[in-house]
Amino acid sequence: VQLQASGGGLVQAGGSLILSCAGARQTFSSYVMGWFRQAPGKEREFVAAINLSGSSINYGDSGKGRFAISRDNVKSTVYLQMNSLKPEDTAVYYCAAAQNRPTFYTWTDKVNEWLYWGQGTQVTVSS
């Protein structure tokens, strides 16, 4: 499964960005999709996940309140809308895909549960 993330860049604090991650048309709708981020010197951190239909969404502490994940299975794309960005949001953002399974909220925040990773897109927030 190839994932291609885009949309990162340099933004001032308080600004917004939309990240996109395109997957393979034939298989995208059969995977749970998620976003993680990794700042220099830190571990990879869960941001958000969305189930196959978009009816279930899970946010990590970093994503609650300011970020919104969504998906378009027709376009084979998952999005991360990021608002009110802060300098501490500076990181490389990765999209990921995982096989669907029960108890969505119990495993989606765990890095090692995700099978496929995109190449990452840099988000830099200036103060």
Side-chain angles (χ1 to χ4, degrees), residues 4-23:
Q4 183 70 38
S6 61
L10 175 63
V11 63
Q12 288 189 333
S16 298
L17 279 177
I18 300 176
L19 305 183
S20 300
C21 176

Side-chain angles (χ1 to χ4, degrees), residues 84-121:
S84 303
L85 284 162
K86 305 174 182 179
E88 50 265 43
D89 294 319
T90 295
V92 177
Y93 283 72
Y94 297 91
C95 60
Q99 291 182 335
N100 189 36
R101 74 203 75 169
T103 60
F104 173 82
Y105 295 97
T106 65
W107 60 266
T108 46
D109 61 337
K110 297 174 176 59
V111 172
N112 60 2
E113 295 288 349
W114 294 80
L115 285 177
Y116 305 105
W117 295 86
Q119 84 287 4
T121 184

Side-chain angles (χ1 to χ4, degrees), residues 37-91:
R37 70 184 188 184
Q38 189 165 18
K42 294 189 176 181
E43 293 186 350
R44 194 163 294 192
E45 177 185 27
F46 171 67
V47 177
I50 188 167
N51 72 342
L52 305 189
S53 66
S55 60
S56 294
I57 289 174
N58 190 21
Y59 289 105
D61 290 340
S62 60
K64 288 178 183 175
R66 297 182 295 121
F67 296 176
I69 188 172
S70 61
R71 68 188 295 163
D72 185 333
N73 288 337
V74 174
K75 295 183 178 179
S76 303
T77 302
V78 61
Y79 304 96
L80 185 68
Q81 170 76 52
M82 303 188 294
N83 300 320
S84 303
L85 284 162
K86 305 174 182 179
E88 50 265 43
D89 294 319
T90 295

